Amino acid sequence: MSLTLEHATDRPARLRAAWDAAWNRGEVDALDAVLSPGYVRRRGPAGTAQDRAGFKDSISAVREAFPDLHTEIEDLVVDGDRLAVRWRSTGRHTDTFMGVPPTGRPVEVSGATFARFDGDTVTEESVTFDSRQLLEALGIITTAHEAAVDADLVKGVHRKFITGVTVVTTDDDGTPKGLAVNAFSSISLDPPMVLVCVQRSSSTHPALHRATHIGINILAADQLDVAKVFASKGTDKFAALDWAPGEHGAPLLDGSAARLEVEIGERLEAGSHTVFTGRVVSAGHSELAPLVYSGGGFFDISQTAPLPW
Ligand SMILES: Cc1cc2nc3c(=O)[nH]c(=O)nc-3n(C[C@H](O)[C@H](O)[C@H](O)COP(=O)(O)O)c2cc1C
């Protein structure tokens, strides 16, 4: 039996009911029950803001172009006044959309929405999705063809790039969670910002997606065992380790070469991964040499010869 707004009393159920009514049945006025009159929606960091009426119009426009549109909520988390939703939409393009005449093509787009409640209704929301998926499906861009480079060749290229190894962690409602990540980079120093890329298939991913803060532990050369634990799918990867929560609650591993706590800013859906960007809110490093990862192997940097320059 489908949920009706009258019977949906708690926030997640009311949101799911309104979402289903608006996106899947085109009953956009159902959103009035869950979005405040002053509601504002933003797409991406630089996206233009939409008000409630504008949002409803855009749903109607999408549904006109994709009449069999089906949007599924894959995960919905309410934490106090904050809301996170992971969603996936499918539909066939049978009417003009973004100036593109009907292509008849099936389209699939996934993304995430982060919102804030004021009382019983949502006042602001930011949405992120992989627009490349949509643009490619409509034939507006053709990166799939241009990027049709053999995957093994690309892998071979990546093996030439040397990285360290980090363990990205979060406190998931009292349970420490984490995985090994070498896709870590500094973005800027002022303000101090970094990013990590995490595959959506990782069992740590949902916890990271709902987190406000993450820990990034840069492993030391003698922490190969730790790297192996966090590159596996164990249920309690922290059991045999010494660790403690940082100032902002993210699990920090003893004996790492350096560590950061990061307040998550953007969660960008890109290909099979989510790119988490954020602001560094605590930092520390030791004298220990970092563990090095290159060409699928691990190395101790203190054994390498420095080059003069
Ligand atoms: C050196 C190394 C680097 C890795 N880097 C990443 C990465 O950047 N992003 C990612 O999603 N997975 C990365 N992985 C793979 C994950 O650590 C691995 O899939 C792990 O089992 C995920 O655990 P989970 O499913 O419990 O989260 C890396 C693994 C190794 C060994």
Side-chain angles (χ1 to χ4, degrees), residues 148-160:
V149 179
D150 180 68
D152 284 340
L153 184 58
V154 176
K155 231 186 253 177
V157 169
H158 291 322
R159 286 166 71 90
K160 295 286 176 190

Side-chain angles (χ1 to χ4, degrees), residues 163-166 168 177-184 196-206 208 227-235 237 272-274 291 293-294 296-298:
T163 69
V165 183
T166 76
V168 174
K177 301 249 172 91
L179 82 162
V181 164
N182 71 335
F184 159 73
V196 289
C197 305
V198 177
Q199 51 193 316
R200 273 197 291 277
S201 58
S202 145
S203 61
T204 313
H205 184 274
L208 295 173
K228 284 183 184 159
V229 167
F230 283 94
S232 71
K233 288 213 169 279
T235 46
K237 303 183 191 177
S272 54
H273 282 55
T274 300
L291 180 62
Y293 182 66
S294 176
F298 296 90

Side-chain angles (χ1 to χ4, degrees), residues 46-288:
T48 47
Q50 242 175 0
D51 61 11
R52 191 168 78 177
F55 178 39
K56 288 195 220 172
D57 287 349
S58 73
I59 294 178
S60 301
V62 173
R63 286 187 48 81
E64 245 174 78
F66 302 86
D68 65 341
L69 183 80
H70 180 76
T71 298
E72 198 179 316
I73 294 184
E74 295 184 318
D75 200 6
L76 184 150
V77 183
V78 177
D79 179 12
D81 281 341
R82 291 159 42 88
L83 160 75
V85 180
R86 227 160 18 92
W87 51 267
R88 196 169 65 87
S89 292
T90 51
R92 193 170 289 277
H93 179 214
T94 59
D95 204 347
T96 301
F97 184 65
M98 293 166 70
V100 180
T103 59
R105 295 184 195 180
V107 171
E108 177 176 331
V109 177
S110 48
T113 289
F114 303 91
R116 198 170 58 77
F117 283 100
D118 185 6
D120 259 359
T121 53
V122 169
T123 55
E124 60 180 350
E125 172 181 347
S126 74
V127 60
T128 162
F129 67 92
D130 186 357
S131 50
R132 188 186 48 88
Q133 270 182 313
L134 176 63
L135 298 176
E136 261 181 26
L138 297 181
I140 297 172
I141 57 167
T142 52
T143 54
H145 300 293
E146 283 166 18
V149 179
D150 180 68
D152 284 340
L153 184 58
V154 176
K155 231 186 253 177
V157 169
H158 291 322
R159 286 166 71 90
K160 295 286 176 190
F161 194 62
I162 295 175
T163 69
V165 183
T166 76
V167 172
V168 174
T169 62
T170 194
D171 170 83
D172 191 27
D173 218 4
T175 306
K177 301 249 172 91
L179 82 162
V181 164
N182 71 335
F184 159 73
S185 174
S186 165
I187 299 175
S188 92
L189 268 183
D190 187 15
M193 290 181 68
V194 297
L195 67 82
V196 289
C197 305
V198 177
Q199 51 193 316
R200 273 197 291 277
S201 58
S202 145
S203 61
T204 313
H205 184 274
L208 295 173
H209 228 277
R210 6 177 212 271
T212 56
H213 291 78
I214 55 174
I216 300 175
N217 299 269
I218 297 179
L219 296 185
D222 65 356
Q223 287 184 305
L224 188 51
D225 288 349
V226 178
K228 284 183 184 159
V229 167
F230 283 94
S232 71
K233 288 213 169 279
T235 46
D236 187 1
K237 303 183 191 177
F238 292 77
L241 295 176
D242 290 326
W243 65 275
E247 284 168 46
H248 299 268
L252 299 178
L253 306 179
D254 286 6
S256 48
R259 67 264 286 271
L260 300 171
E261 281 180 286
V262 172
E263 182 183 9
I264 298 176
E266 297 294 326
R267 297 160 177 86
L268 307 169
E269 305 302 328
S272 54
H273 282 55
T274 300
V275 184
F276 295 90
T277 72
R279 202 169 52 87
V280 174
V281 288
S282 82
H285 58 86
S286 70
E287 294 303 309
L288 296 169

